[in-house]
Amino acid sequence: MQNRQPLRRALLSVSDKTGLIPLANSLAERGVALVSTGGTARAIREAGLEVADVSDLTGFPEMMDGRVKTLHPGVHGGLLALRNDDAHLAAMEKHDIAPIDLLVVNLYPFEETVARDASYDDAIENIDIGGPAMIRAAAKNHAFVSVVTDTEDYDALLSELDTYGGETTLEFRQALAQTAYARTAAYDAAISTWMAGALKIETPRRRVFAGTLRQGLRYGENPHQNAALYGDASTGADILSARQLQGKELSYNNINDADGAWGLLGE
């Protein structure tokens, strides 16, 4: 695998538009061509930036209330093509598929939707299909493609491009790919857990757990062990919502003791 890869073309499709315009502007200033979808493209265009619609890649308009827009070889071929494979390059040329070097996607807010007790139908409509498919494709092809799924990684991406003259390193793309697969896994975990509850399936065949890092811990059950604290969007009033006022960094045992005490008070 080649180490450094140039970034010439980016596809942006985000539900959370935090930092979108500064990112798009910074990419455009670096000569990166922008492609986007729906509301994301509209926001970029309204900011005065040039952006192509994803329908220009696919030859099809977005349809079925946005359910179908990126599921097309014009998109996935651009994400999955191996840049060092002559057969892949020939297929791209034959079918007029251009490479996509950067994918920026954050998903429909499913976790937030179910956290506010939305209806079953509303929850279903907030299950993202095209987003996870593109993320997984880009992450698989991290030898050539960068994939960003969290707004907090925008600055790191721009710093990488500045450091390496508009290119990204394999190490950086690998780290992004790991984060991307963790994101799609957590997303599917949230959906399957919600469906089990909605359908009153107490013991589903497979139970999946996922969480987001809240903080590192001083040590694990014993001082020579590492530990960290994770939580998910279903977390309510519990020890994860508490704020430490004083004292040294907590350990695994401290958290367990505090959680047990909280549980006893709750009962």
Side-chain angles (χ1 to χ4, degrees), residues 98-139:
I100 299 170
D101 307 309
L102 167 67
L103 177 73
V104 181
V105 168
N106 55 61
L107 305 173
Y108 291 174
F110 179 83
E111 295 98 330
E112 292 84 351
T113 298
V114 297
R116 57 179 166 80
D117 295 325
S119 68
Y120 186 92
D121 289 344
D122 193 16
I124 292 297
E125 285 307 311
N126 275 279
I127 296 176
D128 202 322
I129 301 301
M134 289 192 294
I135 289 172
R136 291 177 61 82

Side-chain angles (χ1 to χ4, degrees), residues 156-209:
L157 170 68
L158 297 175
S159 177
E160 177 85 353
L161 295 175
D162 288 341
T163 300
Y164 296 101
E167 297 181 332
T168 59
T169 61
L170 176 59
E171 182 180 18
F172 181 73
R173 296 191 302 276
Q174 286 175 321
L176 290 178
Q178 187 279 324
T179 298
Y181 279 124
R183 178 65 188 111
T184 57
Y187 198 71
D188 284 339
I191 294 169
S192 65
T193 299
W194 166 78
M195 288 201 78
L199 302 177
K200 295 181 172 51
I201 303 174
E202 295 184 1
T203 55
R205 182 177 301 162
R206 293 182 179 86
R207 173 72 74 178
V208 186
F209 301 93

Side-chain angles (χ1 to χ4, degrees), residues 18-80:
T18 303
L20 168 65
I21 301 308
L23 173 66
N25 189 64
S26 296
L27 291 173
E29 288 177 346
R30 290 165 173 79
V32 178
L34 305 179
V35 181
S36 192
T37 63
T40 306
R42 184 165 54 254
I44 294 173
R45 199 167 284 122
E46 288 175 352
L49 299 173
E50 185 176 343
V51 58
D53 290 309
V54 74
S55 57
D56 297 333
L57 275 64
T58 65
F60 284 89
E62 296 183 16
M63 62 183 72
M64 302 176 185
D65 298 319
R67 283 189 169 202
V68 179
K69 53 188 173 184
T70 60
L71 299 169
H72 189 277
V75 173
H76 287 270
L79 293 171
L80 283 165

